[in-house]
Amino acid sequence: AAAPFLFYANLVLPISDKHPRLNAYTARLMARPSFRRALKDARPYVTGTPFEADYITAYERIMGPDA
């Protein structure tokens, strides 16, 4: 249940390197197939939102640029 909150919070205010455990936890959540599928399903709906560019950058970082 933490994955969406951490993903969007990280878009607005990136998690500092001072929190290695939180960064590791976030990375594990983002690697889960279910979360990757949710990101893929949500991508068409971010068009025109204030965080569209940040979302696409994060999406490509997580999914790969060819996704």
Side-chain angles (χ1 to χ4, degrees):
F5 297 105
L6 287 173
F7 177 78
Y8 289 108
N10 201 23
L11 286 181
V12 176
L13 182 66
I15 299 168
S16 169
D17 289 335
K18 295 179 182 178
H19 305 284
R21 289 182 182 159
L22 183 57
N23 279 327
Y25 180 67
T26 303
R28 286 193 308 271
L29 287 173
M30 302 305 155
R32 295 182 65 157
S34 59
F35 188 74
R36 293 170 61 90
R37 186 173 51 251
L39 279 182
K40 187 175 180 180
D41 291 347
R43 186 164 183 189
Y45 300 103
V46 300
T47 303
T49 62
F51 57 86
E52 178 181 5
D54 294 330
Y55 181 93
I56 291 173
T57 300
Y59 178 88
E60 289 176 349
R61 185 180 66 246
I62 293 167
M63 304 291 276
D66 300 329

